[in-house]
């Protein structure tokens, strides 16, 4: 019993000693002078360079963008949340132009699906929500609206459209491969669209010497038309609306 008490006492003495030592050696000098912080930090922080101009600054010159933003669903998102810190630009617009965030990374930071986000916050799964295309192709960043689901082909051929949207042919409009008369959308059976009929059709983009339309930005994989797939039509093996082989 006595032994335990003395052990405990020794433990307490060590602990208190450690606390006193910490107070003396580890707490910075000016700590506590003005409050529960290091008084000298005020000067250090004041010396830091200001990087963000703040919401109000941008509106002074970019009134049009500011008005658009305030009227839309991004009213609560500050300019610099997307364009990065821009105090230097606000001071001297010609010194540096803020970045224009293109691509999908910025938007998915907030809109990528995450179960911990509040229900009702607009979220998408970037892997299946119109992959390959930049978000700004369909959404205006300063006043985003979910655009009306495009009518046209997907209104009636939804399954094909959804399949194609996640395939390597996502960027090809339906009309790249089908010629469709206006009449077809009113009276489908009366006017049937054309369908590719020969291997050479796919060769327009996939033959070694083909020159695909310039707006097809991706690298188009090439095959030797004379030997690849024998004499079968390409869609014997590749579903044209999802051509990758799994
Ligand atoms: C003193 C006026 C002024 C202020 C303040 C200002 N800008 Fe600018 N901004 C300009 C001018 C001028 C340009 C160049 C316009 C051009 O080249 O057409 C520009 C260009 C830009 C561009 C690039 C446009 C492009 O086409 O590349 C962005 C983005 C931008 N500003 C964002 C901001 C943000 C964000 C803020 C607030 C932090 C801000 N600006 C504050 C005047 C200002
Ligand atoms: C949600 C993100 C986001 C916010 C918030 C945002 N921007 Fe932008 N901004 C963009 C993107 C993305 C582009 C590029 C658009 C494009 O290339 O089509 C852009 C483009 C611009 C441009 C170039 C001209 C144009 O209209 O394309 C200017 C100037 C600009 N933004 C200023 C601002 C200012 C000022 C604010 C705040 C009032 C602001 N932005 C808020 C994402 C944003
Ligand atoms: C800093 C976070 C943030 C970033 C980055 C951001 N957004 Fe948003 N977005 C929001 C908030 C907040 C709302 C409004 C949500 C609400 O009203 O409930 C919103 C709303 C939207 C909506 C409206 C959805 C609906 O159902 O009405 C669309 C579309 C959208 N954003 C697209 C984009 C795009 C495209 C980009 C990239 C250019 C982008 N967002 C970048 C925060 C962000
Ligand atoms: C090809 C056009 C297209 C592209 C590219 C696109 N979207 Fe959309 N987006 C739509 C359409 C159409 C809707 C409305 C129908 C739907 O929900 O699918 C929508 C809806 C949304 C919504 C609202 C979802 C909701 O539940 O309210 C958000 C947020 C959104 N998109 C964000 C993005 C982001 C972020 C990107 C880029 C990573 C992006 N979109 C790329 C067409 C597009
Ligand atoms: C109003 C609904 C509707 C719209 C809009 C529509 N289609 Fe159709 N489409 C149909 C129906 C129904 C058929 C089947 C007709 C039949 O078998 O008689 C069909 C058949 C087709 C066929 C097959 C023809 C064949 O001979 O096998 C193609 C290809 C096609 N559509 C492409 C398109 C494209 C591309 C678009 C958009 C530009 C489009 N369709 C828009 C309803 C529609
Ligand atoms: C890369 C070229 C290509 C693109 C892009 C394309 N198609 Fe097709 N489509 C074909 C080919 C080739 C066939 C014939 C397949 C067969 O005969 O087995 C076909 C057949 C069809 C058919 C009839 C057979 C079926 O699968 O039901 C419909 C309907 C159709 N396409 C609709 C569409 C729509 C809608 C789009 C856009 C969302 C589209 N296609 C985009 C190449 C394409
Ligand atoms: C007999 C079945 C068959 C036919 C017919 C066929 N392919 Fe393929 N294709 C394949 C297989 C299997 C692969 C994957 C293995 C490989 O790369 O050879 C492939 C791969 C491809 C690739 C991807 C090459 C790469 O480098 O990623 C392209 C593009 C392609 N085919 C286009 C076509 C075109 C265009 C036609 C018609 C001219 C066609 N194929 C006809 C079986 C076929
Ligand atoms: C207008 C140009 C164009 C036409 C016509 C076209 N393709 Fe493609 N195709 C592409 C592009 C672009 C890609 C690659 C997109 C990417 O991966 O980013 C591609 C990719 C492919 C791939 C590779 C998928 C993988 O796994 O990498 C195959 C297979 C393919 N196409 C088959 C076909 C067949 C079969 C046809 C004819 C029905 C056809 N393509 C017609 C442009 C075209």
């Amino acid at each position: 019993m006595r032994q335990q008490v003395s052990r405990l006492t020794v433990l307490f003495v060590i602990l208190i000693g450690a606390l006193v030592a910490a107070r003396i050696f580890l707490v910075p000098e000016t700590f506590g002078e003005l409050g529960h912080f290091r008084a000298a930090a005020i000067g250090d922080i004041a010396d830091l360079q200001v990087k963000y101009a703040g919401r109000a600054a941008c509106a002074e010159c970019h009134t049009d963008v500011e008005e658009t933003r305030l009227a839309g669903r991004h009213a609560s998102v500050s300019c610099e949340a997307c364009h990065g810190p821009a105090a230097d630009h606000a001071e001297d617009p010609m010194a540096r132009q803020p970045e224009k965030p293109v691509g999908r990374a910025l938007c998915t930071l907030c809109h990528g699906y995450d179960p911990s986000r509040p229900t009702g916050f607009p979220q998408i799964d970037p892997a299946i929500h119109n992959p390959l295309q930049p978000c700004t192709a369909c959404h205006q960043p300063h006043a985003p609206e979910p655009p009306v689901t495009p009518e046209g082909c997907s209104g009636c051929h939804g399954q094909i459209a959804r399949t194609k949207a996640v395939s390597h042919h996502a960027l090809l409009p339906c009309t790249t491969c089908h010629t469709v008369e206006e009449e077809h959308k009113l009276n489908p059976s009366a006017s049937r669209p054309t369908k590719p009929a020969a291997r050479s059709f796919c060769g327009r983009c996939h033959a070694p010497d083909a020159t695909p339309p310039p707006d097809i930005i991706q690298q188009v994989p090439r095959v030797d038309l004379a030997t690849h797939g024998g004499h079968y039509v390409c869609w014997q093996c590749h579903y044209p609306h999802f051509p990758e082989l799994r």
Side-chain angles (χ1 to χ4, degrees):
M1 178 69 182
R2 234 213 239 138
Q3 229 179 13
Q4 276 152 344
V5 169
S6 58
R7 270 197 208 137
L8 259 179
T9 316
V10 170
L11 211 76
F12 266 114
V13 168
I14 293 177
L15 222 108
I16 289 166
L19 279 176
V20 170
R23 184 79 184 86
I24 294 171
F25 295 110
L26 296 184
V27 174
E29 258 177 36
T30 55
F31 182 84
E33 271 175 25
L34 298 175
H36 195 74
F37 59 89
R38 193 167 59 88
I42 294 176
D44 294 354
I45 291 168
D47 285 346
L48 290 178
Q49 215 197 331
V50 176
K51 290 188 183 154
Y52 288 90
R55 288 178 187 227
C58 316
E60 272 172 34
C61 301
H62 298 285
T63 17
D64 51 337
V65 183
E66 174 72 351
E67 273 166 20
T68 312
R69 187 182 66 93
L70 286 179
R73 300 287 303 266
H74 273 168
S76 63
V77 186
S78 120
C79 313
E80 288 168 298
C82 293
H83 289 289
D88 51 355
H89 166 74
E91 205 142 279
D92 176 6
M94 290 310 151
R96 186 183 68 85
Q97 306 250 320
E99 265 177 61
K100 280 199 289 181
V102 289
R104 299 167 63 90
L106 169 78
C107 315
T108 48
L109 211 61
C110 291
H111 291 291
Y113 182 73
D114 181 341
S116 68
R117 294 212 161 108
T119 27
F121 185 80
Q123 301 180 57
I124 49 104
D125 178 352
I128 58 171
H129 185 75
N130 306 296
L132 297 181
Q133 303 180 68
C135 313
T136 48
C138 302
H139 301 286
Q140 144 69 269
H142 298 139
E145 286 286 333
V148 193
T149 307
E151 287 176 22
C153 315
S154 63
C156 301
H157 298 289
Q159 187 56 40
I160 292 177
R162 281 191 296 273
T163 307
K164 186 177 78 67
V166 296
S167 83
H168 281 276
H169 277 167
L171 297 179
L172 308 186
C174 309
T175 46
T176 313
C177 303
H178 302 288
T179 307
V180 188
E181 310 233 4
E182 227 21 65
E183 173 71 11
H184 174 68
K185 297 184 200 164
L186 304 170
N187 192 355
S189 303
S191 161
R192 297 209 178 185
T194 62
K195 293 188 287 187
R199 288 164 59 86
S200 57
F201 181 89
C202 310
R204 289 185 200 174
C205 293
H206 290 291
D209 56 348
T211 44
D215 55 330
I216 305 290
I217 40 168
Q218 263 77 17
Q219 284 286 321
V220 183
R222 308 302 172 119
V223 291
D224 182 357
L225 279 208
T227 56
H228 180 82
H231 58 273
Y232 298 104
V233 287
C234 315
W235 43 98
Q236 196 85 19
C237 301
H238 302 283
Y239 182 49
H241 311 129
F242 193 97
E244 38 270 72
L245 291 165
R246 288 270 163 87

